Amino acid sequence: MSGIDVITFGCRLNTYESEVMKAEAAKAGLDDAILVNTCAVTAEAVRQARQAIRRARRENPKARIIVTGCAAQTDAAGFAAMPEVDAVLGNEEKLTAENYRRLPDFGVAADEKLRVNDIMSVTETAPQLVGHIDGHVRAFLQVQNGCDHRCTFCIIPFGRGNSRSVPMGAVVEQARRLVENGYREVVLTGVDATSYGTDLPGRPTLGLLAKTLLKQIPEIARLRLSSIDGIEADRHLFDLIADEPRFMPHLHLSLQHGDDMILKRMKRRHSRADALAFADQVRRLRPQISFGADMIAGFPTETEDMAKNSASLADAIGIAQLHVFPYSPRPGTPAARMPQLDRRLVKERAARLRETAERLQARHLASMVGTRQTVLVEMTGMAHTENFTLVAAPDLIPRSLVTVTITGHNGRHLDMQPQAASAA
């Protein structure tokens, strides 16, 4: 191979940062290199990253393999010990060309491979100017990094550091650049995006940032949030939900569980009642909105009744896209020291919660049959409606916004018939 290849795991923020990494590595003159941007959310994500690194070395024996991301930040020594790995960069170090210029020679000792500093010492997030997101028709835009909360199951604060926000002016500049490059939809991303602004002068909120973007850049056709914590939603966000058609009617909620005792043991800041009240308020403001959510099955001490409470909460809210994670103990977190469930039971409960997810998805899809929708066509022959429902669109032009009639579904995605040949 020649050039720079990037293998990305995990969240939309990682996808955005992979573009920064590729540009910075190229600026440093790096060639014949593979950058692996890892995720640490689950043990499975870490396993997949290690597997990908070994495969990359088999297929590219002469390439330089550089590993970074949250898993590399939290277990730098472990990745440095892999013989396939030439260097390990921390989450902060991966974003600057200087660190790609300072890479060690091949065959050095594990400790010489490391370029990983204390992420907790980082107090600012520098704006990164990205012109495009490779392979995506939606532009991801980082507005925040890190997290000040310490949920008992989560290792991510130790991979990302404390919460820090990108100044509003820099976000507007970056969004304008992306729109000028042809992106119709912008997705605001962060580790804890709803904490945006708490470290900035005047303490602007995520909702105010979104309002400002839509006001100053009228060319933004569609604006989304990648994920939110409903307990932190601000009045500006509710205003957008109620009154702004360019703010898309879809929210991905960080629920994690549906039982109050488990939520308390997770050290979450919301209760079951809070989640229900938030969803009810949002639906009153925008009836056509859909919800996605993350939930963990098999958390330590979870009983059968507690597990059923997660399924019933997802049902009560009407989650259209439910992402189910079997609980995975992350070393160094408080939950890893709690009484653990048998792994077979964890997998069984995750499977049952996924059955609920499939039923709720089918119900949501059925509710959209016969409606007219405006879809943004992806590069893959699929498209997304405004409420982020997947539509098969094999004959439509990628990057176009097209009005279609929904004609049916197969339990996974919608089928459609275009209303017009021209883009909306």
Side-chain angles (χ1 to χ4, degrees):
M1 65 168 285
S2 63
I4 301 168
D5 190 21
V6 185
I7 302 172
T8 305
F9 293 89
C11 62
R12 291 183 177 95
L13 182 55
N14 255 13
T15 299
Y16 175 84
E17 289 177 338
S18 286
E19 293 298 327
V20 179
M21 289 163 47
K22 191 171 185 178
E24 293 297 307
K27 191 187 302 182
L30 198 64
D31 191 22
D32 194 16
I34 300 172
L35 314 182
V36 184
N37 200 6
T38 64
C39 173
V41 159
T42 64
E44 175 61 16
V46 177
R47 186 195 69 79
Q48 289 178 4
R50 291 182 179 277
Q51 186 180 56
I53 291 165
R54 295 186 184 102
R55 184 187 309 115
R57 174 57 73 214
R58 288 195 303 271
E59 295 175 356
N60 304 276
K62 295 183 179 180
R64 177 165 284 187
I65 296 179
I66 300 138
V67 181
T68 184
C70 289
Q73 180 73 46
T74 56
D75 185 20
F79 281 95
M82 294 180 68
E84 297 87 356
V85 174
D86 294 299
V88 179
L89 298 183
N91 258 335
E92 188 69 11
E93 289 73 31
K94 71 183 182 183
L95 301 175
T96 55
E98 176 190 2
N99 289 300
Y100 294 100
R101 294 190 187 101
R102 296 170 56 224
L103 294 174
D105 293 330
F106 286 91
V108 298
D111 59 341
E112 296 176 276
K113 298 179 182 180
L114 295 173
R115 296 288 186 274
V116 182
N117 292 327
D118 178 13
I119 196 70
M120 294 301 178
S121 67
V122 181
T123 58
E124 295 181 351
T125 288
Q128 304 290 342
L129 292 179
V130 172
H132 74 283
I133 310 296
D134 192 31
H136 291 268
V137 302
R138 288 170 289 130
F140 305 131
L141 175 53
Q142 179 189 13
V143 302
Q144 181 272 344
N145 204 342
C147 186
D148 289 339
H149 309 298
R150 295 295 181 265
C151 297
T152 59
F153 57 84
C154 188
I155 195 69
I156 297 306
F158 303 100
R160 288 285 179 177
N162 292 316
S163 182
R164 50 210 189 273
S165 308
V166 179
M168 191 178 294
V171 176
V172 172
E173 180 185 357
Q174 171 67 359
R176 183 173 284 114
R177 179 179 181 180
L178 289 164
V179 170
E180 287 172 352
N181 286 346
Y183 286 96
R184 313 290 294 277
E185 181 172 308
V186 175
V187 185
L188 305 184
T189 70
V191 175
D192 181 30
T194 35
S195 70
Y196 176 83
T198 56
D199 57 326
L200 295 178
R203 298 174 68 87
T205 62
L206 181 66
L208 180 60
L209 172 65
K211 270 187 179 179
T212 302
L213 285 169
L214 290 169
K215 181 179 180 181
Q216 295 197 16
I217 313 175
E219 297 83 4
I220 295 177
R222 309 193 345 170
L223 183 68
R224 291 192 192 279
L225 306 181
S226 61
S227 179
I228 72 162
D229 208 332
I231 202 72
E232 291 183 320
D234 65 279
R235 65 179 179 84
H236 296 291
L237 185 56
F238 287 117
D239 288 345
L240 289 170
I241 293 167
D243 301 323
E244 176 52 75
R246 291 186 294 152
F247 185 82
M248 293 295 95
H250 173 266
L251 294 174
H252 190 86
L253 309 176
S254 181
L255 291 180
Q256 308 307 343
H257 212 275
D259 183 84
D260 281 336
M261 180 56 71
I262 293 295
L263 288 169
K264 185 176 181 180
R265 289 170 181 164
M266 286 179 164
K267 209 173 178 182
R268 299 294 294 165
R269 287 159 293 142
H270 70 270
S271 66
R272 179 187 178 92
D274 291 331
L276 287 166
F278 175 77
D280 184 60
Q281 181 179 2
V282 168
R283 273 228 170 83
R284 287 199 306 271
L285 296 173
R286 187 85 75 96
Q288 70 270 38
I289 201 160
S290 75
F291 293 107
D294 297 325
M295 279 190 166
I296 295 172
F299 188 81
T301 76
E302 181 189 73
T303 65
E304 191 65 28
D305 285 343
M306 291 171 175
K308 290 177 180 177
N309 280 341
S310 274
S312 67
L313 178 64
D315 205 336
I317 292 176
I319 301 297
Q321 302 102 12
L322 180 60
H323 297 173
V324 178
F325 297 87
Y327 171 74
S328 175
R330 310 306 293 126
T333 60
R337 300 190 294 271
M338 295 179 185
Q340 305 292 305
L341 301 187
D342 182 85
R343 292 308 300 172
R344 287 175 297 180
L345 182 58
V346 172
K347 292 179 180 179
E348 178 188 321
R349 287 184 179 166
R352 275 189 276 148
L353 192 53
R354 288 192 183 105
E355 289 175 1
T356 296
E358 291 173 2
R359 175 175 57 80
L360 293 176
Q361 183 181 32
R363 186 172 77 186
H364 168 70
L365 294 173
S367 74
M368 296 187 67
V369 174
T371 65
R372 294 183 68 188
Q373 302 288 330
T374 301
V375 300
L376 177 62
V377 186
E378 309 282 348
M379 308 299 289
T380 58
M382 304 299 286
H384 282 95
T385 64
E386 291 184 346
N387 67 9
F388 206 63
T389 306
L390 194 63
V391 184
D395 300 320
L396 299 182
I397 300 171
R399 296 186 179 274
S400 61
L401 283 170
V402 182
T403 300
V404 303
T405 296
I406 304 303
T407 57
H409 74 91
N410 68 355
R412 299 291 181 182
H413 61 72
L414 297 168
D415 299 311
M416 62 85 205
Q417 177 66 43
Q419 286 295 299
S422 60

